[in-house]
Amino acid sequence: MTASDYRTIAREKLAGNWKVAIIISLIALYLGGLMVNANVRINISLDDHTKLEITSILFYPIVVLGLSGIVSIVQLIISGVIRQGYAVYLLKQHDGRNPEIGDLFSQFHRFGDGFCLKLLESLFVFLWTLLFIIPGIIASLSYAMAPFIMAENEGMTASEALSASKELMNGHKWELFCLNFSFIGWELLNVLTLGLGSLVLNPYMNAAYAAFYREISRFA
């Protein structure tokens, strides 16, 4: 299947579910639990003494309230388990199994697994990136399906999920890279709208990831 096919499937699965999907992705975004995030960050240098930074308009209320530090700490702690819950939601959405907002918080009984998965994944990608940017990209692609795998395997540990994702992605990393790249036009539109485009783009991209996972796991 091509990137276009996955995007088409994502749109079909989102049809009639956009409202809930947008709400879910916004909650997951603020809690750091998206599979893939179309966040916008623009730096504008006005002169030598003044610098205007525009971070996605969706974060503006948090910055104004001075809660960004607290939010960052909360995200660090719970982002892993929220991402697991979002994986459950995305797979139920893809399978037509009546996804609900509560799915986002359905994995808190596996808090340690979600935290360790996010921590190990980030650590491994960082270490590979130290060698060079290309190995880092390859590592991130290799581990990209780990949240979906763990969501479907109750007793699986973080290290097992990462190993399973790496095995599953053999022969599919370029395909996932192309899927990511196929959203470049949407990403540019997101920049032009100062992040408002992510309201649609985030659920769209994440639904495409779920479609990708379902497709390649059929042959595993």
Side-chain angles (χ1 to χ4, degrees), residues 57-73:
I57 195 170
L58 298 175
F59 286 101
Y60 184 70
I62 293 178
V63 176
V64 170
L65 293 174
L67 298 178
S68 58
I70 297 175
V71 169
S72 296
I73 294 174

Side-chain angles (χ1 to χ4, degrees), residues 45-99:
S45 295
L46 301 179
D47 53 47
D48 292 337
H49 307 289
T50 307
K51 191 174 186 180
L52 173 64
E53 184 176 89
I54 304 174
T55 304
S56 176
I57 195 170
L58 298 175
F59 286 101
Y60 184 70
I62 293 178
V63 176
V64 170
L65 293 174
L67 298 178
S68 58
I70 297 175
V71 169
S72 296
I73 294 174
V74 172
Q75 286 181 344
L76 177 64
I77 296 172
I78 70 172
S79 61
V81 73
I82 292 295
R83 187 175 64 161
Q84 286 304 115
Y86 193 44
V88 171
Y89 172 86
L90 289 171
L91 292 176
K92 289 178 69 174
Q93 175 181 262
H94 181 86
D95 297 338
R97 293 185 285 122
N98 301 316

Side-chain angles (χ1 to χ4, degrees), residues 188-206:
L188 293 174
L189 180 62
N190 193 28
V191 170
L192 293 176
T193 60
L194 300 182
L196 281 176
S198 63
L199 286 171
V200 173
L201 184 54
N202 276 329
Y204 184 19
M205 292 179 70
N206 284 277

Side-chain angles (χ1 to χ4, degrees), residues 84 110-118 150 154-158:
Q84 286 304 115
R110 303 178 69 190
F111 181 88
D113 291 332
F115 179 82
C116 288
L117 179 62
K118 188 71 177 288
M150 180 174 278
E154 185 69 23
M156 183 172 281
T157 66

Side-chain angles (χ1 to χ4, degrees), residues 87-215:
V88 171
Y89 172 86
L90 289 171
L91 292 176
K92 289 178 69 174
Q93 175 181 262
H94 181 86
D95 297 338
R97 293 185 285 122
N98 301 316
E100 301 174 346
I101 292 178
D103 292 327
L104 195 62
F105 307 99
S106 65
Q107 297 292 294
F108 269 85
H109 65 288
R110 303 178 69 190
F111 181 88
D113 291 332
F115 179 82
C116 288
L117 179 62
K118 188 71 177 288
L119 179 64
L120 289 176
E121 181 184 345
S122 299
L123 177 62
F124 291 158
V125 171
F126 171 73
L127 292 176
W128 278 109
T129 304
L130 290 179
L131 296 178
F132 197 64
I133 186 65
I134 301 300
I137 293 174
I138 293 174
S140 67
L141 294 171
S142 295
Y143 301 136
M145 298 296 107
F148 290 118
I149 294 171
M150 180 174 278
E152 292 200 299
N153 294 275
E154 185 69 23
M156 183 172 281
T157 66
S159 59
E160 289 171 342
L162 290 173
S163 296
S165 178
K166 187 176 180 179
E167 181 178 352
L168 181 63
M169 286 299 293
N170 281 335
H172 296 289
K173 288 186 283 293
W174 176 249
E175 191 178 352
L176 182 58
F177 178 85
C178 290
L179 176 59
N180 288 331
F181 188 77
S182 72
F183 285 100
I184 188 65
W186 283 89
E187 294 278 9
L188 293 174
L189 180 62
N190 193 28
V191 170
L192 293 176
T193 60
L194 300 182
L196 281 176
S198 63
L199 286 171
V200 173
L201 184 54
N202 276 329
Y204 184 19
M205 292 179 70
N206 284 277
Y209 258 54
F212 177 85
Y213 169 73
R214 272 289 181 252
E215 175 62 19

Side-chain angles (χ1 to χ4, degrees), residues 3-32:
S4 178
D5 293 326
Y6 293 123
R7 295 199 311 272
T8 297
I9 293 173
R11 292 194 298 271
E12 291 173 351
K13 301 301 180 180
L14 286 165
N17 298 311
W18 276 103
K19 183 177 180 180
V20 174
I22 288 173
I23 292 173
I24 283 284
S25 68
L26 276 175
I27 297 173
L29 172 68
Y30 278 107
L31 296 179

